[in-house]
Amino acid sequence: MGIGRNLSERKGRELRELREETNTTSNKSRKNRRHRLRKMSPGQRLFQTCNQVFASTGPGIVPSPQHIEMLLSVLGEIKQEDLDLRPDMPYFSTKTPRRTPKITYLHIYKCEQFSMGIFCLPPSGVIPLHNHPGMTVFSKLLFGTMHIKSYDWAVDFPPHMSPMVKPSETTQTSSDIRLAKVKVDGEFNGPCDPSILYPADGGNMHWFTAVTACAVLDVLGPPYSDPDGRHCTYYQNFPFSNYSVDGISIPEEERKTYEWLQEMEEPENLQVVGKMYEGPKIVEN
């Protein structure tokens, strides 16, 4: 019995030492990874973090809370100068004030899992109300003052009630008119803390209006893809009082937080010009 006890104690000690060694190796690996990230340029750090965060996600699949915090932390540290952006660059001015300003999208990186880019809006530039199907989107207003309005579909109704209106014969589109809840409606001054929207929450449909010249760093996971059915759909909005549905009643004081949305064609006056990002180089590895 003494021999058996000694063997058992030795095996137990060996297992404890193995666990301690494994934990030590794992902790060292995490510390080394964090150290490598800190030594990278902010843009490269963002790219490496996106690679890790979106490696095991896909349409409708949200990254883990730990990965979300990791990416928000990296985005939060990025400044306009890290990306060689200045409000006096040509992207942020307009030569024809009476026309709808042209918006520039600076393409940084895109793969099947995620995309990175910067929207450059001159004063009065507008990105119309649009959706992000099956996407988790991280954004940061790097500089400027911007009005943001966002919505999620209204879903807090009994199953037998459909918050939807069929279009009349007088309308020019056959799309249904659907009730949405306003999530955000206000002005923001950059630099702001990064924001996140989810496939079905957090303001998945939004529009941006630049009060001053603005730059918005955007990370989409996964990116838009027409072949995969992830189209960018545009909407027009209507006050709640414009339509009524039997059985759906909203208190008077809450009605301003609900609006009707209807799909529409891409606005004719929307001009988005794509250009390659020319800031500090991102190395794929």
Side-chain angles (χ1 to χ4, degrees), residues 42-67:
Q44 186 68 39
R45 192 181 307 131
L46 177 62
F47 170 75
Q48 296 294 118
T49 304
C50 287
N51 258 334
Q52 183 177 352
V53 168
F54 294 108
S56 57
T57 63
I61 301 174
V62 177
S64 69
Q66 294 82 0
H67 278 160

Side-chain angles (χ1 to χ4, degrees), residues 43 113 132 208:
Q113 283 72 39
H132 305 82
F208 294 160

Side-chain angles (χ1 to χ4, degrees), residues 80 84-93 121-123 142-144 212-215:
Q80 65 181 69
D84 282 358
L85 287 175
R86 302 183 314 278
D88 61 356
M89 297 174 84
Y91 311 132
F92 303 104
S93 62
L121 291 81
L142 296 168
F143 63 77
T212 66
C214 296

Side-chain angles (χ1 to χ4, degrees), residues 4 11 19 24 32 53 71 89 156 159 184 216 224 230 233 246 262 266 282:
K11 287 182 178 179
R19 290 194 192 100
T24 300
N32 288 338
V53 168
L71 186 46
M89 297 174 84
D156 297 330
V184 173
V216 181
Y224 290 105
R230 292 191 302 280
T233 301
D246 291 341
Q262 185 177 35
E266 180 179 313
I282 304 295

